[in-house]
Amino acid sequence: HTLGHHKDVATDQDPATSRYGESFYEFLPRVVKGEFLSACRIEAARLQRKGLPWWHSEIPAYFLVSAAMALGFAAATGPLAVPFFLAQSAVAVLLFESVNYLEHYGLERRELQPGQFEPVQPQHSWDSPARITNHVLFKLERHADHHAHAGKRYQTLQAYD
């Protein structure tokens, strides 16, 4: 998350930044594919940095854990658990990406030089300081501070008006 999205937020290089004028239905396939490819690039760089072969990649393990969970639910409750697991996974992706769409919609950082952008600031993410957002979405309204100060502890994040 911090190696891809945080570094590239509010640029064309970030698949999780929705473009001005882009509908959610245009954004969704682009972000799902783009985030997966970004994760693969980041993981390949990690393996290369550590001198590890491709089979040390953690990405297949995430898919295997999900498959094991689905099969475990099926073993415990019956075969209908698998489509329910897949459906709840799809809903989770839709909800997560709808939040990404809203929190980054149309925001851009200035390019100072080719490939070098201005530092991430709170204005490069949308915030909603409403009290209901704080309670229902687990302090999601502190998203801008999270981007501007990625290393800051969750409890100390601030909301911006």
Short mmCIF file of all heavy atoms in Angstrom, two decimals, residues 87-109:
data_model
loop_
_atom_site.label_atom_id
_atom_site.label_comp_id
_atom_site.label_asym_id
_atom_site.label_seq_id
_atom_site.Cartn_x
_atom_site.Cartn_y
_atom_site.Cartn_z
N ALA A 87 -19.24 -14.21 -3.51
CA ALA A 87 -20.12 -13.03 -3.58
C ALA A 87 -19.72 -11.98 -2.55
O ALA A 87 -19.65 -10.79 -2.86
CB ALA A 87 -21.58 -13.45 -3.38
N GLN A 88 -19.44 -12.43 -1.30
CA GLN A 88 -19.04 -11.44 -0.29
C GLN A 88 -17.69 -10.84 -0.64
O GLN A 88 -17.44 -9.68 -0.35
CB GLN A 88 -19.05 -12.04 1.12
CG GLN A 88 -17.93 -12.97 1.47
CD GLN A 88 -16.62 -12.30 1.84
OE1 GLN A 88 -16.60 -11.21 2.37
NE2 GLN A 88 -15.53 -12.95 1.53
N SER A 89 -16.82 -11.61 -1.30
CA SER A 89 -15.54 -11.06 -1.74
C SER A 89 -15.75 -9.98 -2.80
O SER A 89 -15.10 -8.93 -2.76
CB SER A 89 -14.65 -12.17 -2.29
OG SER A 89 -14.36 -13.12 -1.29
N ALA A 90 -16.66 -10.23 -3.73
CA ALA A 90 -16.97 -9.25 -4.77
C ALA A 90 -17.56 -7.98 -4.15
O ALA A 90 -17.19 -6.86 -4.53
CB ALA A 90 -17.93 -9.84 -5.80
N VAL A 91 -18.46 -8.14 -3.17
CA VAL A 91 -19.04 -6.99 -2.49
C VAL A 91 -17.96 -6.21 -1.75
O VAL A 91 -17.93 -4.97 -1.80
CB VAL A 91 -20.17 -7.42 -1.54
CG1 VAL A 91 -20.60 -6.28 -0.62
CG2 VAL A 91 -21.36 -7.95 -2.33
N ALA A 92 -17.04 -6.91 -1.11
CA ALA A 92 -15.95 -6.25 -0.39
C ALA A 92 -15.09 -5.43 -1.35
O ALA A 92 -14.73 -4.29 -1.05
CB ALA A 92 -15.09 -7.28 0.35
N VAL A 93 -14.78 -5.99 -2.52
CA VAL A 93 -13.99 -5.27 -3.52
C VAL A 93 -14.77 -4.04 -4.00
O VAL A 93 -14.21 -2.94 -4.10
CB VAL A 93 -13.60 -6.18 -4.69
CG1 VAL A 93 -13.04 -5.38 -5.86
CG2 VAL A 93 -12.60 -7.24 -4.24
N LEU A 94 -16.06 -4.21 -4.27
CA LEU A 94 -16.87 -3.07 -4.72
C LEU A 94 -16.91 -1.96 -3.68
O LEU A 94 -16.77 -0.78 -4.01
CB LEU A 94 -18.30 -3.53 -5.03
CG LEU A 94 -18.49 -4.28 -6.34
CD1 LEU A 94 -19.90 -4.86 -6.42
CD2 LEU A 94 -18.23 -3.36 -7.52
N LEU A 95 -17.10 -2.32 -2.42
CA LEU A 95 -17.13 -1.31 -1.37
C LEU A 95 -15.78 -0.61 -1.21
O LEU A 95 -15.70 0.62 -1.11
CB LEU A 95 -17.56 -1.94 -0.04
CG LEU A 95 -19.01 -2.39 0.04
CD1 LEU A 95 -19.26 -3.15 1.33
CD2 LEU A 95 -19.96 -1.22 -0.10
N PHE A 96 -14.72 -1.40 -1.18
CA PHE A 96 -13.38 -0.83 -1.02
C PHE A 96 -13.06 0.11 -2.18
O PHE A 96 -12.57 1.23 -1.98
CB PHE A 96 -12.35 -1.95 -0.92
CG PHE A 96 -10.95 -1.45 -0.79
CD1 PHE A 96 -10.49 -0.90 0.40
CD2 PHE A 96 -10.07 -1.50 -1.87
CE1 PHE A 96 -9.20 -0.42 0.52
CE2 PHE A 96 -8.78 -1.03 -1.76
CZ PHE A 96 -8.34 -0.48 -0.56
N GLU A 97 -13.33 -0.34 -3.40
CA GLU A 97 -12.98 0.49 -4.56
C GLU A 97 -13.91 1.69 -4.71
O GLU A 97 -13.50 2.72 -5.25
CB GLU A 97 -12.96 -0.35 -5.83
CG GLU A 97 -11.91 -1.45 -5.83
CD GLU A 97 -10.48 -1.02 -5.52
OE1 GLU A 97 -10.19 0.20 -5.42
OE2 GLU A 97 -9.63 -1.90 -5.37
N SER A 98 -15.15 1.59 -4.20
CA SER A 98 -16.01 2.77 -4.23
C SER A 98 -15.47 3.84 -3.28
O SER A 98 -15.52 5.04 -3.59
CB SER A 98 -17.46 2.41 -3.90
OG SER A 98 -17.58 2.00 -2.57
N VAL A 99 -14.90 3.42 -2.16
CA VAL A 99 -14.27 4.37 -1.25
C VAL A 99 -13.03 4.97 -1.91
O VAL A 99 -12.81 6.19 -1.85
CB VAL A 99 -13.92 3.69 0.10
CG1 VAL A 99 -13.03 4.57 0.95
CG2 VAL A 99 -15.19 3.33 0.85
N ASN A 100 -12.21 4.14 -2.55
CA ASN A 100 -11.04 4.65 -3.28
C ASN A 100 -11.48 5.68 -4.33
O ASN A 100 -10.87 6.73 -4.48
CB ASN A 100 -10.28 3.53 -3.96
CG ASN A 100 -9.08 3.08 -3.17
OD1 ASN A 100 -8.60 3.78 -2.30
ND2 ASN A 100 -8.58 1.91 -3.49
N TYR A 101 -12.54 5.34 -5.06
CA TYR A 101 -13.05 6.24 -6.10
C TYR A 101 -13.41 7.60 -5.51
O TYR A 101 -12.98 8.63 -6.02
CB TYR A 101 -14.28 5.60 -6.76
CG TYR A 101 -14.91 6.44 -7.83
CD1 TYR A 101 -14.38 6.48 -9.12
CD2 TYR A 101 -16.04 7.21 -7.56
CE1 TYR A 101 -14.97 7.26 -10.10
CE2 TYR A 101 -16.63 7.99 -8.53
CZ TYR A 101 -16.09 8.01 -9.80
OH TYR A 101 -16.66 8.78 -10.77
N LEU A 102 -14.16 7.59 -4.42
CA LEU A 102 -14.60 8.86 -3.81
C LEU A 102 -13.45 9.63 -3.17
O LEU A 102 -13.39 10.86 -3.28
CB LEU A 102 -15.65 8.58 -2.74
CG LEU A 102 -17.00 8.09 -3.25
CD1 LEU A 102 -17.87 7.64 -2.10
CD2 LEU A 102 -17.68 9.18 -4.07
N GLU A 103 -12.54 8.94 -2.52
CA GLU A 103 -11.48 9.64 -1.77
C GLU A 103 -10.36 10.18 -2.65
O GLU A 103 -9.54 10.95 -2.17
CB GLU A 103 -10.90 8.71 -0.72
CG GLU A 103 -11.87 8.47 0.42
CD GLU A 103 -11.24 7.75 1.58
OE1 GLU A 103 -10.28 6.99 1.36
OE2 GLU A 103 -11.70 7.97 2.70
N HIS A 104 -10.31 9.77 -3.90
CA HIS A 104 -9.24 10.25 -4.78
C HIS A 104 -9.76 10.87 -6.06
O HIS A 104 -8.98 11.19 -6.95
CB HIS A 104 -8.30 9.09 -5.13
CG HIS A 104 -7.70 8.44 -3.93
ND1 HIS A 104 -8.15 7.26 -3.42
CD2 HIS A 104 -6.69 8.84 -3.13
CE1 HIS A 104 -7.44 6.94 -2.36
NE2 HIS A 104 -6.56 7.89 -2.14
N TYR A 105 -11.07 11.06 -6.17
CA TYR A 105 -11.67 11.51 -7.42
C TYR A 105 -11.11 12.85 -7.89
O TYR A 105 -11.17 13.86 -7.19
CB TYR A 105 -13.19 11.63 -7.28
CG TYR A 105 -13.83 12.11 -8.55
CD1 TYR A 105 -14.04 11.23 -9.61
CD2 TYR A 105 -14.18 13.44 -8.73
CE1 TYR A 105 -14.59 11.66 -10.79
CE2 TYR A 105 -14.73 13.88 -9.90
CZ TYR A 105 -14.94 12.98 -10.94
OH TYR A 105 -15.47 13.42 -12.12
N GLY A 106 -10.56 12.83 -9.08
CA GLY A 106 -10.14 14.05 -9.76
C GLY A 106 -8.96 14.79 -9.17
O GLY A 106 -8.64 15.89 -9.61
N LEU A 107 -8.29 14.22 -8.19
CA LEU A 107 -7.18 14.91 -7.55
C LEU A 107 -5.88 14.65 -8.30
O LEU A 107 -5.62 13.54 -8.76
CB LEU A 107 -7.05 14.46 -6.09
CG LEU A 107 -8.30 14.73 -5.25
CD1 LEU A 107 -8.15 14.12 -3.87
CD2 LEU A 107 -8.56 16.23 -5.15
N GLU A 108 -5.08 15.68 -8.45
CA GLU A 108 -3.82 15.56 -9.18
C GLU A 108 -2.71 16.31 -8.46
O GLU A 108 -2.94 17.39 -7.92
CB GLU A 108 -3.95 16.14 -10.59
CG GLU A 108 -4.92 15.39 -11.48
CD GLU A 108 -5.03 16.03 -12.85
OE1 GLU A 108 -4.42 17.11 -13.08
OE2 GLU A 108 -5.72 15.47 -13.70
N ARG A 109 -1.52 15.72 -8.49
CA ARG A 109 -0.33 16.43 -8.01
C ARG A 109 0.40 17.00 -9.22
O ARG A 109 0.45 16.37 -10.28
CB ARG A 109 0.60 15.46 -7.26
CG ARG A 109 0.05 15.08 -5.91
CD ARG A 109 1.08 14.35 -5.09
NE ARG A 109 1.34 13.02 -5.61
CZ ARG A 109 2.50 12.38 -5.52
NH1 ARG A 109 3.54 12.95 -4.94
NH2 ARG A 109 2.64 11.17 -6.01
#
